[in-house]
Amino acid sequence: MGELKPFINIGPGIVIKDELEALGWSQDDLARIMGMSLKAVNEILNDKVAITVETARLLGKAFGTSAEIWINLDTAYRLRLREDTEREREAERYAAVMKYMPVREMVKKGWLETYNSSSELLEKAKNFWNVSEPDFSFLGKAKEPCFRRSDAYEFYEKYYALTWTQKAKDTASSIHLPEWDRTAAKKIGAKLGNFSRLENGTSTFIQDLEVAGIGFFVLSHLQKTYLDGAAIFVGANPFIVYTGRFDRCDNFWFTVAHELAHLVLGHVKKDGQEILDDLKQEAGNDQEKAADKLAETYLHTVEILEFCAPFKKYLSRERIERCAETVGVSPGIVVGTLQYAGILPYKNLNNYKRPILTALPASCIKG
């Protein structure tokens, strides 16, 4: 993590001596040219004194160079001469952690304990990443999770996405589940619309996931990650993670349907790469398109659009509820589907898109 220092610390004096030799000048010649004493020139050539702005300008005139060359050479030489102070080392350690982790946000969420010094923070960061050395440069080389995101998100931060993924994996590692059963997962997908209609549908859905060997929990998103959910494997079991970025029932069911589709389709495997999703964006690769298509069958998207097609301009509450009853999903899913398809304005009928986090079992909320 520390800065590499050269084996030989070359100062400006050596460079000046080389220039004198090339020109066939003596130190006395240079002293006369610059209007300085021979002693003063000798001190400069032996790097005993720092080069001032005036001296740098005189050297520039003598050798036909810029003054900046001599200022920069001398500054670099003198910086390398001295060892880092403890204050400087602490600043370096602090900056290294802050570069890779949204520390303030993590402390606020309880993902990191409060700290009183950079040394304390460094130890907490090492524990978070399960590393023994205070060097986080490995994150710069880490393979980024498969992430469905828009190029418009210029503020997306790869390291924060890696941090969120690490926290998700750590959380999942403490959850014990029965053997993963893909056939049972397929059956859950087929019943997803009905779960959304039941009063305790979210709890029943989560219980069925657990029986199928699929973990579920809520882990709030970090700034600059734009996450709705993720599908990951930890040990022998897959997990669906929901962020609650948009605390609405339609967002919840769309997200879990999409992540469940990734698992059923085998997109996430043991020891494989995680999939993180921002479902506001269009699907990019073939895996995302396939997961979207399967999720649409789970939530009866085609049936909803076909039912509502004759009433595009007259989508009353009564018709929304009749569509939900006929198709077999909650009214919130009907409204969210129509809004996403551009058939219903986003400002209309939003009372059907109820908050979801308060409807989830408290044990599922992990931070």
Side-chain angles (χ1 to χ4, degrees):
M1 186 164 63
E3 179 186 0
L4 295 177
K5 297 185 179 182
F7 181 70
I8 300 176
N9 189 11
I10 298 175
I14 293 177
V15 180
I16 295 172
K17 289 176 182 176
D18 288 344
E19 289 291 325
L20 293 178
E21 185 177 350
L23 293 168
W25 294 354
S26 66
Q27 291 186 30
D28 192 53
D29 292 330
L30 183 60
R32 290 195 184 93
I33 292 170
M34 295 177 63
M36 299 175 69
S37 68
L38 183 60
K39 179 182 177 182
V41 168
N42 185 263
E43 288 177 337
I44 292 172
L45 267 61
N46 288 288
D47 297 316
K48 292 182 178 179
V49 296
I51 291 179
T52 64
V53 172
E54 182 181 2
T55 301
R57 291 175 64 88
L58 287 170
L59 286 168
K61 297 300 182 184
F63 296 124
T65 65
S66 68
E68 288 82 1
I69 287 177
W70 305 106
I71 289 286
N72 293 339
L73 273 172
D74 189 69
T75 300
Y77 169 73
R78 297 194 184 282
L79 283 173
R80 291 191 294 262
L81 272 181
R82 59 188 291 272
E83 293 295 324
D84 290 344
T85 64
E86 180 55 34
R87 183 178 180 184
E88 290 167 344
R89 286 192 290 270
E90 181 157 336
E92 183 181 33
R93 291 193 294 263
Y94 198 175
V97 178
M98 296 290 285
K99 174 182 177 181
Y100 294 112
M101 304 167 70
V103 172
R104 285 196 302 274
E105 188 177 5
M106 293 175 71
V107 170
K108 186 176 180 180
K109 289 178 181 292
W111 296 9
L112 283 179
E113 295 179 2
T114 54
Y115 57 93
N116 296 313
S117 68
S118 65
S119 297
E120 279 189 36
L121 174 60
L122 195 64
E123 286 304 310
K124 295 180 189 306
K126 284 163 56 180
N127 291 335
F128 181 86
W129 291 105
N130 297 317
V131 295
S132 57
E133 297 298 325
D135 182 359
F136 304 102
S137 59
F138 70 90
L139 291 169
K141 304 172 186 176
K143 191 173 183 181
E144 186 175 6
C146 293
F147 187 23
R148 170 177 174 161
R149 68 178 185 274
S150 166
D151 291 338
Y153 283 142
E154 57 182 304
F155 300 115
Y156 164 75
E157 177 53 72
K158 165 189 171 180
Y159 300 130
Y160 293 1
L162 290 169
T163 298
W164 185 92
T165 305
Q166 176 68 12
K167 179 61 178 178
K169 287 181 173 181
D170 184 63
T171 302
S173 66
S174 64
I175 299 174
H176 302 289
L177 296 163
E179 186 177 353
W180 150 235
D181 186 342
R182 191 191 303 272
T183 300
K186 292 178 181 179
K187 293 178 180 178
I188 293 171
K191 298 186 294 182
L192 208 60
N194 190 53
F195 285 129
S196 73
R197 292 163 49 82
L198 300 175
E199 184 177 351
N200 296 317
T202 53
S203 296
T204 306
F205 165 68
I206 293 167
Q207 289 169 6
D208 280 14
L209 285 179
E210 291 177 354
V211 171
I214 304 171
F216 171 85
F217 57 89
V218 177
L219 187 68
S220 56
H221 73 289
L222 290 171
Q223 59 173 319
K224 301 181 182 180
T225 58
Y226 309 101
L227 283 177
D228 286 311
I232 64 176
F233 242 99
V234 175
N237 292 93
F239 288 80
I240 293 174
V241 190
Y242 180 63
T243 69
R245 178 164 72 119
F246 301 107
D247 185 13
R248 307 188 315 258
C249 62
D250 62 313
N251 178 262
F252 171 79
W253 291 111
F254 292 157
T255 300
V256 296
H258 184 86
E259 306 308 341
L260 182 61
H262 275 311
L263 298 180
V264 168
L265 293 169
H267 294 163
V268 188
K269 301 178 176 63
K270 296 178 184 178
D271 302 319
Q273 191 171 40
E274 307 80 16
I275 294 180
L276 313 185
D277 286 303
D278 170 8
L279 296 182
K280 287 182 67 178
Q281 306 309 322
E282 294 295 327
N285 59 37
D286 290 341
Q287 284 190 347
E288 290 297 332
K289 291 174 182 176
D292 274 352
K293 187 174 181 179
L294 183 54
E296 286 172 1
T297 66
Y298 292 161
L299 299 176
H300 307 291
T301 299
V302 173
E303 293 94 323
I304 292 171
L305 297 177
E306 288 178 349
F307 183 96
C308 295
F311 315 114
K312 285 186 178 181
K313 295 183 179 179
Y314 308 101
L315 289 167
S316 63
R317 294 179 183 276
E318 180 184 356
R319 282 175 175 151
I320 293 295
E321 292 175 5
R322 197 186 332 149
C323 175
E325 182 70 27
T326 302
V327 173
V329 296
S330 70
I333 289 178
V334 174
V335 171
T337 299
L338 295 174
Q339 288 178 340
Y340 189 79
I343 295 171
L344 185 68
Y346 275 98
K347 63 181 180 180
N348 290 8
L349 303 175
N350 285 328
N351 62 311
Y352 286 117
K353 296 158 59 174
R354 297 185 177 90
I356 192 68
L357 292 178
T358 53
L360 296 174
S363 59
C364 293
I365 311 299
K366 301 297 184 180

